[in-house]
Amino acid sequence: MTLRIDISGLPSGRLRFAASPLAELTAMLHVLAEPGHHPQLAGWAADVWAGLRPEPAERLREAEFLWRSSQADFLVPARPRPTLVEELDDVDRIDDETYVTAALVTTCGSNRVHFAAPSPLTDAAARERALDLAQARGARQEAFAERLLEDPGAVRARVRQTLEQCAEAFFDAAWAGVAVRLATDLRLKNDLLKRQGIGAALASVSGAVTLAPDGDCIIVDKLQDKATAAHGTGVTFIPSVFGSPHLVVVHAPGWQPVVQYPVAEPSPSEPVSLETVTLRLEALAHPVRLRLLRTLARGPHTTGELAHAWELTPPEVSRHLAVLRRAGLLTARRHGRYVRHTLNLPDLTALGADLLAAVLR
């Protein structure tokens, strides 16, 4: 499955590499919300949480759906600015409809949710659907969606205040060191782009980002088969230290394509027994289970959500989930009337190293 960005006829100058304070802050917030995705940063996350005052800590939890399983598009800017304040000012200029749509997609936990006309801001049925989807994600998501639809201006102001509090609490200090690493990476990327062209620059971004043979399309190995175009806008590539190992792509209609890529290598994990490795490989040897895992990598999902996302029956999904649970790749927890399945990210991440270690010993 791939995401394709059409760049046919795009001048080389419209493909840009630039650092974004807001995008890096968003990556940090994702680490705080999902430290299991970033074991190499677990110590940093624990220190930040320990140092946060109760009010900003609660604010982070109430809005974490904007950056937990995926980042709201407006938090990964297509036109990075030198300072966080300037980028937040740009976010303030986005209209309520665009802001709310992006926020609801992340809050409701599915990149396949599209809030087209009629708008949930004005249409009762669309609003009810949005709230139902948010409720399935949890009580906090439902409460956040309710506040957002009731008074988007107040929520937007509160989110900005939360981000400003984060800047004071930990981001400004971290950014001073991160910016140096990002600048080094940008010099390399821009030099490759200038001297060797787009293909060489993309190859240095990630093995998951390539240029099509005809040079008219950027191909990104991502969760779903999608396509977008960069005509008239260009493509922005944003390096991230805290984003590793994620490759974030903004591709929704109406948004300029943006790719946030990691510049840091993930830490290796300890191997497990050959028996466990074999069991996990057998569990993964089915295309449907791979699809389910790629969805669960974005966050916990119910059986019904997975069935809807992949157009399967709930019993079929349940059978595949049982195999993955036996392999230790999933856990299931009940929250009220919903049972959510969670991917065991550390063990899945370590599988390649586990296999090599098992074969060599």
Side-chain angles (χ1 to χ4, degrees):
M1 292 182 283
T2 59
L3 168 66
R4 303 175 71 87
I5 305 174
D6 185 357
I7 59 170
S8 57
L10 189 72
S12 59
R14 302 305 294 274
L15 189 149
R16 62 183 68 87
F17 288 85
S20 164
L22 178 57
E24 193 67 7
L25 172 56
T26 302
M28 293 180 188
L29 294 174
H30 173 74
V31 172
L32 294 176
E34 288 284 9
H37 288 199
H38 311 269
Q40 75 278 16
L41 293 170
W44 174 87
D47 289 343
V48 170
W49 279 118
L52 282 178
R53 292 180 291 106
E55 185 200 359
E58 177 57 28
R59 279 174 172 247
L60 284 185
R61 294 186 182 97
E62 74 180 23
E64 67 178 7
F65 326 110
L66 299 178
W67 50 73
R68 175 182 279 277
S69 61
S70 60
Q71 286 75 15
D73 291 335
F74 52 78
L75 294 178
V76 188
R79 293 175 175 80
R81 308 290 189 183
T83 68
L84 178 63
V85 170
E86 291 174 285
E87 292 186 324
L88 291 176
D89 287 343
D90 286 344
V91 173
D92 286 345
R93 296 184 185 99
I94 298 172
D95 63 85
D96 281 348
E97 184 70 35
T98 301
Y99 187 102
V100 168
T101 298
L104 285 177
V105 168
T106 57
T107 302
C108 296
S110 173
N111 65 308
R112 295 182 177 227
V113 176
H114 298 286
F115 296 96
S119 166
L121 286 175
T122 57
D123 182 82
R127 175 190 172 93
E128 187 65 26
R129 175 171 177 262
L131 293 176
D132 284 345
L133 290 168
Q135 183 187 50
R137 309 304 301 147
R140 281 182 175 271
Q141 288 92 327
E142 182 183 17
F144 181 83
E146 286 179 343
R147 292 195 301 271
L148 182 66
L149 292 172
E150 182 67 27
D151 191 348
V155 172
R156 293 179 63 163
R158 187 171 177 83
V159 169
R160 172 164 183 158
Q161 291 167 2
T162 300
L163 297 177
E164 290 171 339
Q165 289 179 342
C166 290
E168 180 181 352
F170 61 86
F171 173 74
D172 288 346
W175 176 251
V178 167
V180 176
R181 297 180 63 183
L182 298 182
T184 300
D185 181 82
L186 289 172
R187 283 194 295 271
L188 170 64
K189 299 297 190 293
N190 283 309
D191 184 66
L192 285 172
L193 182 61
K194 178 181 178 180
R195 296 178 182 276
Q196 300 183 38
I198 294 177
L202 294 180
S204 70
V205 167
S206 167
V209 181
T210 57
L211 185 66
D214 60 9
D216 286 344
C217 186
I218 296 173
I219 302 173
V220 186
D221 182 22
K222 286 293 287 181
L223 175 66
Q224 72 283 2
D225 290 314
K226 291 286 184 179
T228 188
H231 304 152
T233 61
V235 185
T236 301
F237 287 84
I238 300 175
S240 172
V241 170
F242 280 78
S244 178
H246 300 307
L247 189 67
V248 176
V249 184
V250 174
H251 60 84
W255 295 90
Q256 176 178 328
V258 181
V259 179
Q260 184 186 34
Y261 63 92
V263 299
E265 292 294 330
S267 301
S269 302
E270 294 183 4
V272 296
S273 70
L274 177 60
E275 179 182 1
T276 300
V277 171
T278 301
L279 183 64
R280 289 173 179 170
L281 289 175
E282 290 173 349
L284 296 174
H286 195 292
V288 171
R289 290 197 282 273
L290 283 177
R291 295 189 186 103
L292 296 178
L293 282 178
R294 297 186 78 174
T295 299
L296 288 167
R298 298 173 61 85
H301 285 71
T302 66
T303 300
E305 289 173 329
L306 292 168
H308 175 73
W310 292 105
E311 299 181 349
L312 301 168
T313 65
E316 183 179 6
V317 171
S318 294
R319 288 193 295 272
H320 287 297
L321 293 178
V323 174
L324 293 168
R325 284 197 303 273
R326 286 195 295 271
L329 295 174
L330 294 183
T331 58
R333 291 185 179 180
R334 177 172 292 279
H335 299 269
R337 60 192 180 99
Y338 298 102
V339 175
R340 298 194 183 93
H341 305 277
T342 302
L343 177 61
N344 186 342
L345 276 167
D347 287 344
L348 184 61
T349 301
L351 186 54
D354 293 341
L355 175 59
L356 180 60
V359 170
L360 293 179
R361 31 172 219 274

mmCIF file of all heavy atoms in Angstrom, residues 97 100-101 104 114-131 148-150:
data_model
loop_
_atom_site.group_PDB
_atom_site.id
_atom_site.type_symbol
_atom_site.label_atom_id
_atom_site.label_comp_id
_atom_site.label_asym_id
_atom_site.label_seq_id
_atom_site.Cartn_x
_atom_site.Cartn_y
_atom_site.Cartn_z
ATOM 1 N N GLU A 97 -14.180 25.704 9.920
ATOM 2 C CA GLU A 97 -14.563 24.472 9.231
ATOM 3 C C GLU A 97 -13.344 23.594 8.970
ATOM 4 O O GLU A 97 -13.358 22.378 9.236
ATOM 5 C CB GLU A 97 -15.251 24.809 7.903
ATOM 6 C CG GLU A 97 -15.769 23.585 7.147
ATOM 7 C CD GLU A 97 -16.952 22.941 7.844
ATOM 8 O OE1 GLU A 97 -17.772 23.671 8.438
ATOM 9 O OE2 GLU A 97 -17.041 21.705 7.787
ATOM 10 N N VAL A 100 -11.858 22.350 12.433
ATOM 11 C CA VAL A 100 -12.697 21.346 13.088
ATOM 12 C C VAL A 100 -12.647 20.020 12.345
ATOM 13 O O VAL A 100 -12.576 18.946 12.952
ATOM 14 C CB VAL A 100 -14.149 21.856 13.202
ATOM 15 C CG1 VAL A 100 -15.092 20.735 13.606
ATOM 16 C CG2 VAL A 100 -14.215 22.997 14.213
ATOM 17 N N THR A 101 -12.672 20.052 11.013
ATOM 18 C CA THR A 101 -12.596 18.824 10.239
ATOM 19 C C THR A 101 -11.319 18.060 10.546
ATOM 20 O O THR A 101 -11.341 16.854 10.795
ATOM 21 C CB THR A 101 -12.665 19.130 8.731
ATOM 22 O OG1 THR A 101 -13.917 19.741 8.435
ATOM 23 C CG2 THR A 101 -12.537 17.850 7.913
ATOM 24 N N LEU A 104 -11.485 16.645 14.148
ATOM 25 C CA LEU A 104 -12.408 15.527 14.313
ATOM 26 C C LEU A 104 -11.855 14.246 13.714
ATOM 27 O O LEU A 104 -12.085 13.159 14.246
ATOM 28 C CB LEU A 104 -13.764 15.870 13.677
ATOM 29 C CG LEU A 104 -14.634 16.853 14.460
ATOM 30 C CD1 LEU A 104 -15.899 17.164 13.686
ATOM 31 C CD2 LEU A 104 -14.980 16.309 15.843
ATOM 32 N N HIS A 114 -14.363 11.187 6.792
ATOM 33 C CA HIS A 114 -14.348 12.474 6.099
ATOM 34 C C HIS A 114 -15.629 13.214 6.436
ATOM 35 O O HIS A 114 -16.734 12.712 6.239
ATOM 36 C CB HIS A 114 -14.240 12.277 4.581
ATOM 37 C CG HIS A 114 -12.972 11.603 4.175
ATOM 38 N ND1 HIS A 114 -11.763 12.244 4.180
ATOM 39 C CD2 HIS A 114 -12.737 10.334 3.774
ATOM 40 C CE1 HIS A 114 -10.814 11.404 3.787
ATOM 41 N NE2 HIS A 114 -11.387 10.242 3.540
ATOM 42 N N PHE A 115 -15.479 14.412 6.965
ATOM 43 C CA PHE A 115 -16.635 15.204 7.338
ATOM 44 C C PHE A 115 -16.910 16.213 6.227
ATOM 45 O O PHE A 115 -16.638 17.398 6.349
ATOM 46 C CB PHE A 115 -16.387 15.886 8.681
ATOM 47 C CG PHE A 115 -16.237 14.907 9.806
ATOM 48 C CD1 PHE A 115 -14.983 14.493 10.221
ATOM 49 C CD2 PHE A 115 -17.350 14.376 10.418
ATOM 50 C CE1 PHE A 115 -14.855 13.579 11.246
ATOM 51 C CE2 PHE A 115 -17.231 13.462 11.452
ATOM 52 C CZ PHE A 115 -15.971 13.061 11.860
ATOM 53 N N ALA A 116 -17.440 15.708 5.128
ATOM 54 C CA ALA A 116 -17.796 16.579 4.008
ATOM 55 C C ALA A 116 -19.157 17.192 4.297
ATOM 56 O O ALA A 116 -19.791 16.933 5.305
ATOM 57 C CB ALA A 116 -17.813 15.774 2.717
ATOM 58 N N ALA A 117 -19.630 18.029 3.357
ATOM 59 C CA ALA A 117 -20.935 18.662 3.524
ATOM 60 C C ALA A 117 -22.005 17.589 3.656
ATOM 61 O O ALA A 117 -21.964 16.579 2.968
ATOM 62 C CB ALA A 117 -21.221 19.553 2.323
ATOM 63 N N PRO A 118 -22.987 17.742 4.520
ATOM 64 C CA PRO A 118 -23.166 18.880 5.424
ATOM 65 C C PRO A 118 -22.185 18.864 6.595
ATOM 66 O O PRO A 118 -21.729 17.820 7.018
ATOM 67 C CB PRO A 118 -24.605 18.704 5.915
ATOM 68 C CG PRO A 118 -24.835 17.228 5.852
ATOM 69 C CD PRO A 118 -24.087 16.756 4.635
ATOM 70 N N SER A 119 -21.899 20.037 7.118
ATOM 71 C CA SER A 119 -20.900 20.188 8.157
ATOM 72 C C SER A 119 -21.453 19.821 9.524
ATOM 73 O O SER A 119 -22.599 20.157 9.845
ATOM 74 C CB SER A 119 -20.406 21.632 8.175
ATOM 75 O OG SER A 119 -19.682 21.896 9.363
ATOM 76 N N PRO A 120 -20.675 19.156 10.366
ATOM 77 C CA PRO A 120 -21.134 18.876 11.737
ATOM 78 C C PRO A 120 -21.260 20.141 12.571
ATOM 79 O O PRO A 120 -21.860 20.103 13.648
ATOM 80 C CB PRO A 120 -20.031 17.949 12.288
ATOM 81 C CG PRO A 120 -18.831 18.249 11.467
ATOM 82 C CD PRO A 120 -19.344 18.575 10.091
ATOM 83 N N LEU A 121 -20.723 21.249 12.090
ATOM 84 C CA LEU A 121 -20.904 22.516 12.797
ATOM 85 C C LEU A 121 -22.310 23.074 12.614
ATOM 86 O O LEU A 121 -22.783 23.864 13.432
ATOM 87 C CB LEU A 121 -19.886 23.548 12.305
ATOM 88 C CG LEU A 121 -18.435 23.362 12.762
ATOM 89 C CD1 LEU A 121 -17.531 24.384 12.096
ATOM 90 C CD2 LEU A 121 -18.330 23.456 14.286
ATOM 91 N N THR A 122 -22.974 22.662 11.534
ATOM 92 C CA THR A 122 -24.290 23.234 11.228
ATOM 93 C C THR A 122 -25.384 22.196 11.036
ATOM 94 O O THR A 122 -26.571 22.521 11.112
ATOM 95 C CB THR A 122 -24.204 24.094 9.945
ATOM 96 O OG1 THR A 122 -23.707 23.286 8.860
ATOM 97 C CG2 THR A 122 -23.263 25.273 10.155
ATOM 98 N N ASP A 123 -25.016 20.940 10.781
ATOM 99 C CA ASP A 123 -26.006 19.903 10.483
ATOM 100 C C ASP A 123 -26.110 18.936 11.664
ATOM 101 O O ASP A 123 -25.106 18.369 12.113
ATOM 102 C CB ASP A 123 -25.596 19.140 9.222
ATOM 103 C CG ASP A 123 -26.621 18.096 8.839
ATOM 104 O OD1 ASP A 123 -27.626 18.441 8.206
ATOM 105 O OD2 ASP A 123 -26.405 16.912 9.196
ATOM 106 N N ALA A 124 -27.311 18.732 12.168
ATOM 107 C CA ALA A 124 -27.523 17.908 13.359
ATOM 108 C C ALA A 124 -27.133 16.455 13.126
ATOM 109 O O ALA A 124 -26.531 15.808 13.998
ATOM 110 C CB ALA A 124 -28.983 17.998 13.794
ATOM 111 N N ALA A 125 -27.469 15.896 11.955
ATOM 112 C CA ALA A 125 -27.147 14.497 11.680
ATOM 113 C C ALA A 125 -25.636 14.288 11.593
ATOM 114 O O ALA A 125 -25.095 13.310 12.119
ATOM 115 C CB ALA A 125 -27.828 14.055 10.385
ATOM 116 N N ALA A 126 -24.957 15.212 10.909
ATOM 117 C CA ALA A 126 -23.504 15.109 10.799
ATOM 118 C C ALA A 126 -22.846 15.268 12.163
ATOM 119 O O ALA A 126 -21.860 14.592 12.480
ATOM 120 C CB ALA A 126 -22.969 16.165 9.829
ATOM 121 N N ARG A 127 -23.402 16.137 12.980
ATOM 122 C CA ARG A 127 -22.869 16.323 14.339
ATOM 123 C C ARG A 127 -23.032 15.042 15.157
ATOM 124 O O ARG A 127 -22.110 14.616 15.863
ATOM 125 C CB ARG A 127 -23.612 17.480 15.016
ATOM 126 C CG ARG A 127 -23.238 17.690 16.482
ATOM 127 C CD ARG A 127 -24.194 18.691 17.128
ATOM 128 N NE ARG A 127 -23.976 18.774 18.561
ATOM 129 C CZ ARG A 127 -23.174 19.655 19.155
ATOM 130 N NH1 ARG A 127 -22.521 20.533 18.416
ATOM 131 N NH2 ARG A 127 -23.020 19.662 20.464
ATOM 132 N N GLU A 128 -24.201 14.428 15.056
ATOM 133 C CA GLU A 128 -24.458 13.209 15.818
ATOM 134 C C GLU A 128 -23.515 12.088 15.381
ATOM 135 O O GLU A 128 -23.011 11.327 16.212
ATOM 136 C CB GLU A 128 -25.915 12.782 15.636
ATOM 137 C CG GLU A 128 -26.339 11.619 16.520
ATOM 138 C CD GLU A 128 -26.302 11.974 17.998
ATOM 139 O OE1 GLU A 128 -26.432 13.168 18.322
ATOM 140 O OE2 GLU A 128 -26.144 11.050 18.823
ATOM 141 N N ARG A 129 -23.264 11.999 14.091
ATOM 142 C CA ARG A 129 -22.340 10.971 13.591
ATOM 143 C C ARG A 129 -20.936 11.219 14.134
ATOM 144 O O ARG A 129 -20.250 10.281 14.556
ATOM 145 C CB ARG A 129 -22.313 10.984 12.060
ATOM 146 C CG ARG A 129 -21.283 10.017 11.457
ATOM 147 C CD ARG A 129 -21.443 9.909 9.960
ATOM 148 N NE ARG A 129 -20.415 9.042 9.391
ATOM 149 C CZ ARG A 129 -19.299 9.472 8.824
ATOM 150 N NH1 ARG A 129 -19.067 10.769 8.732
ATOM 151 N NH2 ARG A 129 -18.413 8.624 8.335
ATOM 152 N N ALA A 130 -20.507 12.453 14.136
ATOM 153 C CA ALA A 130 -19.178 12.778 14.647
ATOM 154 C C ALA A 130 -19.066 12.416 16.124
ATOM 155 O O ALA A 130 -18.059 11.852 16.561
ATOM 156 C CB ALA A 130 -18.884 14.261 14.439
ATOM 157 N N LEU A 131 -20.102 12.707 16.884
ATOM 158 C CA LEU A 131 -20.075 12.404 18.311
ATOM 159 C C LEU A 131 -20.123 10.904 18.566
ATOM 160 O O LEU A 131 -19.489 10.404 19.501
ATOM 161 C CB LEU A 131 -21.226 13.105 19.021
ATOM 162 C CG LEU A 131 -21.137 14.632 19.066
ATOM 163 C CD1 LEU A 131 -22.390 15.226 19.712
ATOM 164 C CD2 LEU A 131 -19.894 15.076 19.822
ATOM 165 N N LEU A 148 -15.628 21.007 21.026
ATOM 166 C CA LEU A 148 -15.168 21.549 19.753
ATOM 167 C C LEU A 148 -16.334 21.964 18.868
ATOM 168 O O LEU A 148 -16.310 23.028 18.239
ATOM 169 C CB LEU A 148 -14.304 20.505 19.035
ATOM 170 C CG LEU A 148 -13.703 20.917 17.693
ATOM 171 C CD1 LEU A 148 -12.686 22.037 17.878
ATOM 172 C CD2 LEU A 148 -13.035 19.719 17.019
ATOM 173 N N LEU A 149 -17.382 21.140 18.821
ATOM 174 C CA LEU A 149 -18.535 21.445 17.976
ATOM 175 C C LEU A 149 -19.417 22.533 18.592
ATOM 176 O O LEU A 149 -20.071 23.282 17.871
ATOM 177 C CB LEU A 149 -19.349 20.174 17.737
ATOM 178 C CG LEU A 149 -18.664 19.112 16.867
ATOM 179 C CD1 LEU A 149 -19.469 17.826 16.855
ATOM 180 C CD2 LEU A 149 -18.464 19.632 15.451
ATOM 181 N N GLU A 150 -19.432 22.610 19.906
ATOM 182 C CA GLU A 150 -20.251 23.609 20.583
ATOM 183 C C GLU A 150 -19.644 25.003 20.468
ATOM 184 O O GLU A 150 -20.346 25.988 20.227
ATOM 185 C CB GLU A 150 -20.419 23.240 22.062
ATOM 186 C CG GLU A 150 -21.289 24.201 22.853
ATOM 187 C CD GLU A 150 -22.742 24.170 22.407
ATOM 188 O OE1 GLU A 150 -23.183 23.123 21.893
ATOM 189 O OE2 GLU A 150 -23.425 25.203 22.577
#
